[in-house]
mmCIF file with all atom_site columns, all heavy atoms in Angstrom:
data_model
loop_
_atom_site.group_PDB
_atom_site.id
_atom_site.type_symbol
_atom_site.label_atom_id
_atom_site.label_alt_id
_atom_site.label_comp_id
_atom_site.label_asym_id
_atom_site.label_entity_id
_atom_site.label_seq_id
_atom_site.pdbx_PDB_ins_code
_atom_site.Cartn_x
_atom_site.Cartn_y
_atom_site.Cartn_z
_atom_site.occupancy
_atom_site.B_iso_or_equiv
_atom_site.pdbx_formal_charge
_atom_site.auth_seq_id
_atom_site.auth_comp_id
_atom_site.auth_asym_id
_atom_site.auth_atom_id
_atom_site.pdbx_PDB_model_num
ATOM 1  N N   . ARG D 1 2  ? 88.907 98.398  102.583 1.00 97.00 ? 2  ARG D N   1
ATOM 2  C CA  . ARG D 1 2  ? 88.466 99.791  102.643 1.00 97.00 ? 2  ARG D CA  1
ATOM 3  C C   . ARG D 1 2  ? 89.670 100.626 103.062 1.00 97.00 ? 2  ARG D C   1
ATOM 4  O O   . ARG D 1 2  ? 90.140 100.518 104.194 1.00 97.00 ? 2  ARG D O   1
ATOM 5  C CB  . ARG D 1 2  ? 87.333 99.959  103.642 1.00 97.00 ? 2  ARG D CB  1
ATOM 6  C CG  . ARG D 1 2  ? 86.025 99.382  103.162 1.00 97.00 ? 2  ARG D CG  1
ATOM 7  C CD  . ARG D 1 2  ? 84.942 99.626  104.181 1.00 97.00 ? 2  ARG D CD  1
ATOM 8  N NE  . ARG D 1 2  ? 83.643 99.373  103.586 1.00 97.00 ? 2  ARG D NE  1
ATOM 9  C CZ  . ARG D 1 2  ? 82.505 99.740  104.129 1.00 97.00 ? 2  ARG D CZ  1
ATOM 10 N NH1 . ARG D 1 2  ? 82.488 100.382 105.290 1.00 97.00 ? 2  ARG D NH1 1
ATOM 11 N NH2 . ARG D 1 2  ? 81.371 99.478  103.534 1.00 97.00 ? 2  ARG D NH2 1
ATOM 12 N N   . ILE D 1 36 ? 87.730 105.465 101.451 1.00 98.00 ? 36 ILE D N   1
ATOM 13 C CA  . ILE D 1 36 ? 87.108 106.245 102.522 1.00 98.00 ? 36 ILE D CA  1
ATOM 14 C C   . ILE D 1 36 ? 87.954 107.504 102.646 1.00 98.00 ? 36 ILE D C   1
ATOM 15 O O   . ILE D 1 36 ? 89.189 107.428 102.705 1.00 98.00 ? 36 ILE D O   1
ATOM 16 C CB  . ILE D 1 36 ? 87.091 105.464 103.850 1.00 98.00 ? 36 ILE D CB  1
ATOM 17 C CG1 . ILE D 1 36 ? 86.231 104.213 103.695 1.00 98.00 ? 36 ILE D CG1 1
ATOM 18 C CG2 . ILE D 1 36 ? 86.600 106.348 104.986 1.00 98.00 ? 36 ILE D CG2 1
ATOM 19 C CD1 . ILE D 1 36 ? 86.276 103.288 104.878 1.00 98.00 ? 36 ILE D CD1 1
ATOM 20 N N   . ILE D 1 60 ? 83.358 106.359 99.799  1.00 98.00 ? 60 ILE D N   1
ATOM 21 C CA  . ILE D 1 60 ? 82.603 106.735 100.989 1.00 98.00 ? 60 ILE D CA  1
ATOM 22 C C   . ILE D 1 60 ? 83.235 107.989 101.570 1.00 98.00 ? 60 ILE D C   1
ATOM 23 O O   . ILE D 1 60 ? 84.387 107.972 101.998 1.00 98.00 ? 60 ILE D O   1
ATOM 24 C CB  . ILE D 1 60 ? 82.602 105.594 102.027 1.00 98.00 ? 60 ILE D CB  1
ATOM 25 C CG1 . ILE D 1 60 ? 82.015 104.331 101.407 1.00 98.00 ? 60 ILE D CG1 1
ATOM 26 C CG2 . ILE D 1 60 ? 81.856 106.019 103.293 1.00 98.00 ? 60 ILE D CG2 1
ATOM 27 C CD1 . ILE D 1 60 ? 82.297 103.072 102.194 1.00 98.00 ? 60 ILE D CD1 1
ATOM 28 N N   . LYS D 1 92 ? 84.825 107.972 112.719 1.00 97.00 ? 92 LYS D N   1
ATOM 29 C CA  . LYS D 1 92 ? 84.081 107.160 111.752 1.00 97.00 ? 92 LYS D CA  1
ATOM 30 C C   . LYS D 1 92 ? 85.015 106.619 110.679 1.00 97.00 ? 92 LYS D C   1
ATOM 31 O O   . LYS D 1 92 ? 84.916 105.459 110.279 1.00 97.00 ? 92 LYS D O   1
ATOM 32 C CB  . LYS D 1 92 ? 82.947 107.981 111.129 1.00 97.00 ? 92 LYS D CB  1
ATOM 33 C CG  . LYS D 1 92 ? 81.971 107.150 110.308 1.00 97.00 ? 92 LYS D CG  1
ATOM 34 C CD  . LYS D 1 92 ? 80.691 107.934 110.032 1.00 97.00 ? 92 LYS D CD  1
ATOM 35 C CE  . LYS D 1 92 ? 79.618 107.096 109.416 1.00 97.00 ? 92 LYS D CE  1
ATOM 36 N NZ  . LYS D 1 92 ? 79.020 106.113 110.297 1.00 97.00 ? 92 LYS D NZ  1
ATOM 37 N N   . MET D 1 93 ? 85.940 107.449 110.214 1.00 97.00 ? 93 MET D N   1
ATOM 38 C CA  . MET D 1 93 ? 86.909 106.979 109.228 1.00 97.00 ? 93 MET D CA  1
ATOM 39 C C   . MET D 1 93 ? 87.751 105.838 109.817 1.00 97.00 ? 93 MET D C   1
ATOM 40 O O   . MET D 1 93 ? 87.986 104.828 109.148 1.00 97.00 ? 93 MET D O   1
ATOM 41 C CB  . MET D 1 93 ? 87.795 108.146 108.759 1.00 97.00 ? 93 MET D CB  1
ATOM 42 C CG  . MET D 1 93 ? 87.034 109.108 107.870 1.00 97.00 ? 93 MET D CG  1
ATOM 43 S SD  . MET D 1 93 ? 87.788 110.710 107.446 1.00 97.00 ? 93 MET D SD  1
ATOM 44 C CE  . MET D 1 93 ? 89.475 110.440 107.271 1.00 97.00 ? 93 MET D CE  1
ATOM 45 N N   . ALA D 1 94 ? 88.183 105.992 111.051 1.00 96.00 ? 94 ALA D N   1
ATOM 46 C CA  . ALA D 1 94 ? 88.997 104.969 111.701 1.00 96.00 ? 94 ALA D CA  1
ATOM 47 C C   . ALA D 1 94 ? 88.220 103.660 111.857 1.00 96.00 ? 94 ALA D C   1
ATOM 48 O O   . ALA D 1 94 ? 88.775 102.579 111.654 1.00 96.00 ? 94 ALA D O   1
ATOM 49 C CB  . ALA D 1 94 ? 89.485 105.466 113.060 1.00 96.00 ? 94 ALA D CB  1
ATOM 50 N N   . ASP D 1 95 ? 86.945 103.757 112.216 1.00 96.00 ? 95 ASP D N   1
ATOM 51 C CA  . ASP D 1 95 ? 86.123 102.557 112.391 1.00 96.00 ? 95 ASP D CA  1
ATOM 52 C C   . ASP D 1 95 ? 85.871 101.830 111.077 1.00 96.00 ? 95 ASP D C   1
ATOM 53 O O   . ASP D 1 95 ? 85.885 100.598 111.021 1.00 96.00 ? 95 ASP D O   1
ATOM 54 C CB  . ASP D 1 95 ? 84.780 102.912 113.028 1.00 96.00 ? 95 ASP D CB  1
ATOM 55 C CG  . ASP D 1 95 ? 84.900 103.283 114.489 1.00 96.00 ? 95 ASP D CG  1
ATOM 56 O OD1 . ASP D 1 95 ? 85.933 102.949 115.112 1.00 96.00 ? 95 ASP D OD1 1
ATOM 57 O OD2 . ASP D 1 95 ? 83.964 103.915 115.009 1.00 96.00 ? 95 ASP D OD2 1
ATOM 58 N N   . MET D 1 96 ? 85.643 102.587 110.006 1.00 97.00 ? 96 MET D N   1
ATOM 59 C CA  . MET D 1 96 ? 85.255 101.986 108.731 1.00 97.00 ? 96 MET D CA  1
ATOM 60 C C   . MET D 1 96 ? 86.435 101.450 107.922 1.00 97.00 ? 96 MET D C   1
ATOM 61 O O   . MET D 1 96 ? 86.273 100.541 107.127 1.00 97.00 ? 96 MET D O   1
ATOM 62 C CB  . MET D 1 96 ? 84.491 103.006 107.880 1.00 97.00 ? 96 MET D CB  1
ATOM 63 C CG  . MET D 1 96 ? 83.148 103.401 108.458 1.00 97.00 ? 96 MET D CG  1
ATOM 64 S SD  . MET D 1 96 ? 82.274 104.574 107.397 1.00 97.00 ? 96 MET D SD  1
ATOM 65 C CE  . MET D 1 96 ? 81.667 103.450 106.135 1.00 97.00 ? 96 MET D CE  1
ATOM 66 N N   . ALA D 1 97 ? 87.612 102.021 108.111 1.00 98.00 ? 97 ALA D N   1
ATOM 67 C CA  . ALA D 1 97 ? 88.761 101.689 107.262 1.00 98.00 ? 97 ALA D CA  1
ATOM 68 C C   . ALA D 1 97 ? 89.491 100.441 107.733 1.00 98.00 ? 97 ALA D C   1
ATOM 69 O O   . ALA D 1 97 ? 89.489 100.102 108.910 1.00 98.00 ? 97 ALA D O   1
ATOM 70 C CB  . ALA D 1 97 ? 89.725 102.864 107.224 1.00 98.00 ? 97 ALA D CB  1
#
Side-chain angles (χ1 to χ4, degrees):
R2 287 182 166 194
I36 297 173
I60 302 165
K92 191 165 189 70
M93 288 169 36
D95 288 342
M96 294 181 78

